[in-house]
Amino acid sequence: MADQLRLIEVLTPKQRQAFVELQFTIYADDPDWRAPLKSEMRELIDGAKTNPWFEHAEAAFWMVYRGDTAVGRISAQVDQLVLQYMGAGTGHWGMFECIDDQAVADLLLSTAENWLRARGMTRAQGPFSLSIWDEPGVMVAGFGTPPTVMMAHHRSWYSKLIEARGYVGIKDMHTWEVQITHPFPDTVQRIVAMGEKNPRIRIREVVKKDFANEAALILDILNDAWSTNWGFVPLTPHEVAHVGKKLKPIVYEDMIRIAELDGVPVAFMISLPDLNELMGDLNGKLFPFGWAKLLWRLRKPKVNRIRVPLMGVRKSLQGTRMASMVAFVLIEYIRRAARDVYGAKRGEIGWILEDNGPMRSIAEVIGAEITRTYRVYEKPLSAEVH
């Protein structure tokens, strides 16, 4: 019953730890869930000292208990960059985890909505956990397989609970998967061959020792390449430095490549071995022994899948034949390294916005198929609090 529910705002370190731990309860019987590192989750929500996103945004966090048992959690956030790039009055919520109980979901969502409304927001969008660059959307299709590294996984009832609160889906994002043990179709191979012979094009590996500068270069291209995409907000210089520092331990130089045209960097592709395959037995903990295990496994990882989380071509080049050539050469070089060095058999590209025609076309041409769908929801916020 709803009157048995108890809502608390997450304010103390102990409460933040409980907020993180709830996921491990919600997914305890889900064989496809992959536990995140608890330390990473704490850093995400602990404020500006561990997450520079808080330099331009504010957030609040809540948990719902039934008796002494935690049964749900949520965040609400107002991001000044979202207001600038996605429109005035746009508030977000996220970090949503909930048992299959509409009363719990209603209490969580209404609390987030009221918080947003009190800050002048006129519409609520979610989930964003915490931003478009973290884990956007709730999984609505593709259940039955585990996610790759840095991709979200949700319980199948979440969309039902959200929609019952009056939310309507406004944008879908897909992950695409392709086999990479064999060459791509002949059409792609011909384009790659032309690109390899073109003296104007140079594809280079990143330099891990200089990864702070490499990350800044890549994310400068990214901010330009994605600037017209739905949901885009730029990464700030502090966020760029933060991302570079976090990625460096899992950087493999042959899996992250930069394309130069006439000596000018114009495109990039980041790919990662599926580290979820290497962390399944750590249960989110690096200590006392998880850190040593992970470091050993990261030395020369062998995985079944790789993931391409980010790829971009500068806007000035988009829509040209040269852009397609550069993109396919990047993809082919990553495919070879993933197969030959890391033993991967499958590659996942994503997420890709449902209306991102150029990226969808690339995925289709190389034979990729949609495997998962994530949905962002929206609801107008009326003036009254309820």
Side-chain angles (χ1 to χ4, degrees):
M1 298 292 292
D3 59 359
Q4 297 176 311
L5 301 178
R6 177 168 54 95
L7 176 78
I8 67 161
E9 186 172 359
V10 173
L11 298 171
T12 69
K14 184 177 179 180
Q15 290 168 338
R16 286 193 289 272
Q17 190 61 36
F19 188 90
V20 169
E21 294 284 352
L22 178 60
Q23 271 193 310
F24 291 76
T25 302
I26 293 287
Y27 295 97
D29 63 346
D30 187 338
D32 296 320
W33 184 65
R34 295 296 179 264
L37 292 176
K38 294 177 183 179
S39 57
E40 293 277 323
M41 294 298 99
R42 279 295 301 268
E43 288 178 3
L44 184 69
I45 66 174
D46 268 352
K49 65 177 183 281
T50 57
N51 183 357
W53 174 84
F54 283 93
E55 294 174 359
H56 53 82
E58 62 173 324
F61 307 89
W62 299 271
M63 294 184 68
V64 168
Y65 286 80
R66 178 171 279 129
D68 294 328
T69 302
V71 292
R73 75 177 199 187
I74 200 167
S75 69
Q77 52 264 17
V78 173
D79 184 340
Q80 296 304 311
L81 291 179
V82 167
L83 298 180
Q84 180 180 347
Y85 286 87
M86 295 184 70
T90 305
H92 286 171
W93 54 265
M95 311 293 287
F96 180 77
E97 304 288 357
C98 187
I99 64 171
D100 190 4
D101 187 313
Q102 192 64 51
V104 177
D106 286 347
L107 179 54
L108 290 167
L109 290 165
S110 64
T111 300
E113 291 161 9
N114 290 341
W115 188 90
L116 294 173
R117 190 181 290 109
R119 282 151 183 78
M121 300 300 104
T122 56
R123 61 182 175 275
Q125 292 178 349
F128 290 93
S129 304
L130 290 165
S131 80
I132 191 77
W133 299 109
D134 296 312
E135 292 183 357
V138 65
M139 187 173 162
V140 296
F143 300 96
T145 57
T148 55
V149 60
M150 298 181 185
M151 285 301 295
H153 179 78
H154 300 117
R155 301 303 308 228
S156 60
W157 56 77
Y158 284 9
S159 58
K160 173 196 69 174
L161 297 177
I162 294 167
E163 290 169 9
R165 179 69 190 169
Y167 283 86
V168 175
I170 58 167
K171 190 65 65 174
D172 281 359
M173 295 161 282
H174 304 298
T175 59
W176 298 66
E177 193 165 300
V178 61
Q179 71 80 24
I180 58 174
T181 55
H182 304 296
F184 292 134
D186 291 344
T187 301
V188 175
Q189 291 303 312
R190 286 195 292 270
I191 296 172
V192 170
M194 288 188 291
E196 289 180 308
K197 294 175 184 176
N198 191 322
R200 300 180 61 197
I201 297 173
R202 176 189 177 223
I203 307 294
R204 69 171 180 85
E205 299 177 358
V206 295
V207 179
K208 186 170 183 175
K209 289 188 295 186
D210 191 34
F211 194 67
N213 289 323
E214 297 281 55
L217 171 60
I218 287 170
L219 294 169
D220 177 65
I221 297 173
L222 176 69
N223 276 341
D224 176 63
W226 284 35
S227 60
T228 56
N229 285 0
W230 179 89
F232 170 81
V233 292
L235 288 164
T236 67
H238 282 175
E239 287 175 301
V240 169
H242 182 68
V243 170
K245 185 177 179 180
K246 285 183 64 177
L247 279 180
K248 187 173 182 179
I250 56 174
V251 164
Y252 298 92
E253 293 178 327
D254 52 357
M255 294 284 276
I256 303 179
R257 309 236 179 180
I258 294 170
E260 298 175 355
L261 183 63
D262 299 325
V264 178
V266 295
F268 74 92
M269 183 171 170
I270 294 176
S271 55
L272 302 169
D274 183 14
L275 303 184
N276 281 354
E277 297 176 28
L278 309 179
M279 299 191 300
D281 61 341
L282 302 185
N283 199 33
K285 298 178 182 178
L286 286 179
F287 299 101
F289 305 114
W291 184 246
K293 289 181 181 178
L294 186 57
L295 282 178
W296 178 257
R297 295 168 187 174
L298 289 177
R299 289 176 68 240
K300 295 180 179 179
K302 293 293 182 180
V303 294
N304 289 313
R305 292 191 295 182
I306 65 153
R307 180 185 169 216
V308 179
L310 293 173
M311 181 178 181
V313 178
R314 287 201 182 274
K315 198 159 43 176
S316 60
L317 204 63
Q318 290 175 10
T320 67
R321 292 181 62 187
M322 183 63 73
S324 296
M325 188 178 298
V326 165
F328 282 121
V329 175
L330 282 169
I331 292 169
E332 172 61 11
Y333 283 15
I334 294 292
R335 182 193 73 84
R336 294 174 190 172
R339 179 197 63 187
D340 298 342
V341 180
Y342 303 93
K345 300 177 177 63
R346 310 284 297 178
E348 181 181 274
I349 310 167
W351 45 264
I352 297 175
L353 288 168
E354 60 181 336
D355 52 3
N356 187 337
M359 279 305 302
R360 288 182 65 107
S361 295
I362 288 174
E364 290 167 355
V365 167
I366 63 175
E369 297 180 345
I370 293 173
T371 52
R372 286 179 162 225
T373 300
Y374 298 82
R375 183 164 296 153
V376 174
Y377 287 92
E378 182 177 285
K379 175 184 174 181
L381 296 176
S382 60
E384 63 180 275
V385 177
H386 59 87

